[in-house]
Amino acid sequence: MRLNLRRDVHELAPELIGAQLLVDGVGGTIVELEAYDHEDPAAHGYGNRRTARNASMFLPGGHAYVYRSYGIHWCLNLVCGEEGEANAVLIRALEPLRGLDTMRERRGLDNLRLLCAGPGRLCQALGVTREHDGLPLDRPPFELIPRAQPVEVVRGPRIGITKAVDQPWRYGLAGSRFLSKPFRA
């Protein structure tokens, strides 16, 4: 079974919690993400502003959108919806499961909880760079596997943004110790 990413980002985002994300066989369970849609002032595609940096966000759902945050860290987004809509989910954290030695080597640390807790750490651990931008998520090096069973999803406001800060579009796996930051009670 494959995930259909050509759907509304707000419908799809909670369904991605518990799915497996692998890059060249390295990865784990998605435990945290944030949704961004084309009408969201915090989104890179807001106002239909297409640039060289965000062009992949306008591809049809099922592609990677990779960008640099603060000129330092790569961030991986899964493009959702139809072509031209500019909707995506930012993958914020994984529970590392496969390729642990590779992740530890790339990150230069042994702490399992910190390998993929945060979008920059996650991309470093998975080896995601600008070279992955625009690639289809249903072909190598990517593998996106739907969750096998229902999970409890928590939601709250997104992190590290200055616009639309109160939107509850951050989703996480309830009780996960691999989140980038805890959800407020």
Side-chain angles (χ1 to χ4, degrees):
M1 183 174 130
R2 288 181 18 188
L3 280 164
N4 175 12
L5 298 180
R6 290 192 183 184
R7 297 188 294 141
D8 177 80
V9 68
H10 300 293
E11 175 186 310
L12 179 62
E15 292 180 23
L16 289 169
I17 298 297
Q20 302 278 315
L21 174 65
L22 305 173
V23 181
D24 285 324
V26 175
T29 301
I30 298 172
V31 297
E32 182 186 357
L33 55 77
E34 293 177 342
Y36 292 88
D37 71 38
H38 63 281
E39 295 178 349
D40 174 5
H44 292 173
Y46 178 66
N48 207 30
R49 292 184 315 255
R50 192 180 308 225
T51 66
R53 177 189 189 210
N54 74 4
S56 294
M57 202 174 181
F58 291 85
L59 293 171
H63 288 83
Y65 166 46
V66 180
Y67 67 90
R68 271 237 203 248
S69 177
Y70 304 110
I72 302 169
H73 306 288
W74 294 110
C75 293
L76 172 63
N77 294 259
L78 311 183
V79 177
C80 307
E82 297 301 323
E83 185 170 1
E85 286 184 348
N87 301 318
V89 292
L90 168 66
I91 306 299
R92 288 198 54 86
L94 293 180
E95 177 179 344
L97 297 173
R98 294 180 48 189
L100 296 178
D101 289 340
T102 299
M103 286 190 244
R104 286 182 172 117
E105 183 178 319
R106 288 174 177 161
R107 294 271 301 120
L109 59 84
D110 287 325
N111 187 328
L112 188 65
R113 198 199 82 66
L114 295 179
L115 286 178
C116 299
R121 292 172 177 167
L122 181 148
C123 284
Q124 185 181 15
L126 300 185
V128 172
T129 67
R130 182 70 174 181
E131 293 175 12
H132 294 90
D133 185 51
L135 295 180
L137 296 166
D138 62 352
R139 284 183 259 174
F142 290 103
E143 189 174 359
L144 187 59
I145 305 162
R147 64 183 182 215
Q149 57 202 24
V151 297
E152 184 181 349
V153 176
V154 293
R155 63 189 288 184
R158 297 173 292 185
I159 299 171
I161 58 173
T162 58
K163 298 175 182 170
V165 295
D166 294 328
Q167 294 294 348
W169 294 342
R170 176 177 168 232
Y171 299 87
L173 180 63
S176 174
R177 68 183 190 101
F178 297 95
L179 300 173
S180 65
K181 290 187 179 180
F183 281 74
R184 286 186 259 158

